[in-house]
Amino acid sequence: MPTVEKILTFSQAHKSIIQKYFHGGYYYSNTPKLIQEIKKHELNALFLLSIETPTELCRFLKTSFFELEEQINDPIYKHYAIKKKRGGNRQIYSPENKLKAIQRRLNYFLQAYYLWIKPNEVFGFVVNPHYLGNYCNIAENAKPHIGKKHLLNIDLKDFFPSISASRVKSVFTSSYFNFSEQIATALTLLTTYEGHIPIGAPTSPVISNFVCFQLDADLKSFCDTNGLRFTRYADDLTFSSDTLISFDVVLDIINLIRKNGFAINEKKLRLKSSNRKQTVTGLIVNEKVNVDRKLLKKIRAMLHDLTTNGIDIATKGHFNLNGEIEPKHRAKFIQRLEGYINFVGQVRGKSDELYFKQKTLFDSLFESKNKE
């Protein structure tokens, strides 16, 4: 993998070629061989990094200068709250359609660049191009910790709200992007709201990964020195070792996290030995990566209710509904059950006997109905 410096140098050296022949995912027929030999996500990254002027930024985002100025100066977000599983509310700020379209396009290119330079220890908020394989997910995040004698889980507190606009701008002006003050300011204003990255903006996940570059590097260095394995999935940090993870080591890790501008959720800090159930992002890792028995039991109950009593009774029971069942309720039940089964297949593998049994039964029940 080339260094960030080499990537930036290449982008500027071949800027005219990149901007002329490559526009967000496809080649022109007469594209020079120099460009054709680079992977698609790498070219997307080079296209992003070639931006130097406001005119180029507008062309890149496929919008006019006046439209871009309006979105920067007067962004519109819809605010609402959703309940968390363990109590409390999560504040969502969803951008209106024009701003969301701009953020989605920007996210596409930011994701491409992050994929090119990301640390091996990061598995969350990362795209998986088909030509690279599906290697960034919670199952892959859990695999490095299989069968370890000691496991430490740490959750970052208020992850998105804790990332300020000034930190975002610092990323855009850093050596990772080397954007001018003007471009960095514009991108920061397009991706932050009320002083931080909002939960609900398409760009917030990938920007959080860029902000965490130094944190990831510091934790990786510390773990290499102290014989620990480390992975991060969004705000979920996991450390494991075959030797005891001492209280002093835990304090050192927490101090590194604080040094990098984050706080920990003390209620979710867990240190478990191998004689207890060890989980990483909800997956069991004591002997192999596996889904929790509670989910398998839920799937079994849903399938049994479905085959025994039919879709209406199964839907009523699952959602605790009274009265007449609407089509949207049935559809939601089917989608949820299929999602659960597909998740088992992702974690345990498509050749797993239990997954194959669940999938075969589900398909026999709904394949003909879906075709209709």
Side-chain angles (χ1 to χ4, degrees):
M1 179 183 294
T3 62
V4 171
E5 290 76 12
K6 286 184 177 180
I7 292 172
L8 291 171
T9 300
F10 184 93
S11 177
Q12 293 306 311
H14 302 285
K15 172 181 172 179
S16 59
I17 298 176
I18 294 167
Q19 293 189 346
K20 180 178 180 180
Y21 291 98
F22 184 76
H23 289 268
Y26 61 88
Y27 307 103
Y28 289 112
S29 59
N30 60 339
T31 303
K33 189 175 181 181
L34 171 72
I35 300 298
Q36 292 184 16
E37 292 178 345
I38 303 175
K39 291 183 177 68
K40 179 181 174 181
H41 70 279
E42 295 171 351
L43 279 167
N44 276 321
L46 293 170
F47 191 30
L48 167 68
L49 296 171
S50 69
I51 298 170
E52 289 185 294
T53 68
T55 300
E56 290 172 353
L57 178 61
C58 291
R59 189 185 306 124
F60 171 80
L61 294 174
K62 293 186 175 181
T63 188
S64 68
F65 179 82
F66 298 104
E67 177 64 38
L68 190 62
E69 189 176 42
E70 181 180 347
Q71 297 303 328
I72 287 174
N73 294 330
D74 189 26
I76 300 174
Y77 285 80
K78 179 182 178 181
H79 173 231
Y80 57 95
I82 59 175
K83 292 183 179 180
K84 297 181 181 180
K85 289 182 179 180
R86 299 184 179 181
N89 293 317
R90 179 171 285 108
Q91 304 301 318
I92 308 297
Y93 293 86
S94 178
E96 61 84 33
N97 291 337
K98 289 183 180 179
L99 179 56
K100 183 177 287 187
I102 290 173
Q103 290 178 346
R104 281 177 174 167
R105 180 166 173 80
L106 182 57
N107 174 65
Y108 179 80
F109 291 91
L110 287 170
Q111 286 281 12
Y113 183 34
Y114 185 76
L115 177 63
W116 197 0
I117 63 174
K118 82 169 194 72
N120 294 328
E121 295 74 28
V122 179
F123 295 90
F125 300 150
V126 181
V127 295
N128 290 282
H130 64 87
Y131 52 84
L132 293 182
N134 187 28
Y135 71 100
C136 282
N137 52 54
I138 62 171
E140 294 300 318
N141 178 70
K143 284 181 179 179
H145 307 289
I146 296 174
K148 296 295 183 179
K149 292 184 179 179
H150 302 278
L151 186 76
L152 171 66
N153 302 106
I154 295 179
D155 187 82
L156 300 181
K157 185 179 180 181
D158 299 329
F159 188 44
F160 282 7
S162 69
I163 298 176
S164 65
S166 61
R167 294 178 75 179
V168 174
K169 184 179 177 182
S170 294
V171 167
F172 285 133
T173 56
S174 72
S175 59
Y176 290 108
F177 290 92
N178 206 24
F179 285 138
S180 67
E181 183 81 9
Q182 189 176 27
I183 298 299
T185 299
L187 292 175
T188 300
L189 292 173
L190 284 170
T191 57
T192 61
Y193 184 63
E194 295 185 345
H196 59 263
I197 60 172
I199 302 174
T203 45
S204 292
V206 69
I207 286 176
S208 73
N209 273 341
F210 277 109
V211 171
C212 284
F213 252 116
Q214 190 58 55
L215 171 65
D216 295 331
D218 288 348
L219 291 175
K220 173 66 164 57
S221 177
F222 177 84
C223 290
D224 287 346
T225 303
N226 291 274
L228 301 170
R229 294 298 303 271
F230 158 65
T231 63
R232 182 175 66 82
Y233 193 96
D235 58 353
D236 199 317
L237 281 57
T238 306
F239 307 84
S240 62
S241 176
D242 284 326
T243 59
L244 182 66
I245 301 177
S246 69
F247 182 70
D248 287 341
V249 167
V250 175
L251 284 180
D252 287 340
I253 291 172
I254 293 174
N255 286 333
L256 275 177
I257 292 171
R258 289 172 176 167
K259 172 191 168 187
N260 279 275
F262 294 99
I264 69 164
N265 187 336
E266 296 180 359
K267 294 180 181 179
K268 293 185 178 181
L269 191 151
R270 302 183 302 274
L271 180 57
K272 292 186 178 181
S273 56
S274 56
N275 61 354
R276 300 175 63 190
K277 184 173 75 173
Q278 297 174 324
T279 60
V280 178
T281 50
L283 301 179
I284 300 171
V285 294
N286 290 74
E287 297 178 359
K288 64 179 182 179
V289 176
N290 202 356
V291 295
D292 195 286
R293 289 180 182 178
K294 291 180 180 178
L295 177 61
L296 297 178
K297 186 177 180 181
K298 181 181 290 186
I299 295 172
R300 186 166 60 248
M302 291 173 74
L303 285 170
H304 179 267
D305 201 13
L306 185 62
T307 54
T308 304
N309 302 311
I311 181 67
D312 283 2
I313 293 178
T315 301
K316 278 187 176 182
H318 183 74
F319 294 114
N320 295 318
L321 297 175
N322 295 315
E324 189 175 346
I325 297 297
E326 298 180 19
K328 66 179 181 180
H329 296 138
R330 298 187 192 96
K332 187 176 180 181
F333 176 87
I334 294 169
Q335 290 169 359
R336 179 171 293 185
L337 177 56
E338 184 177 27
Y340 286 157
I341 293 172
N342 288 337
F343 179 69
V344 173
Q346 181 190 58
V347 175
R348 294 172 64 117
K350 301 298 182 180
S351 60
D352 178 74
E353 184 179 351
L354 178 60
Y355 163 74
F356 182 77
K357 182 180 179 181
Q358 294 173 344
K359 181 67 173 172
T360 302
L361 177 56
F362 178 87
D363 288 344
S364 68
L365 292 168
F366 292 110
E367 187 174 7
S368 59
K369 186 66 177 177
N370 287 339
K371 286 181 179 179
E372 293 176 10

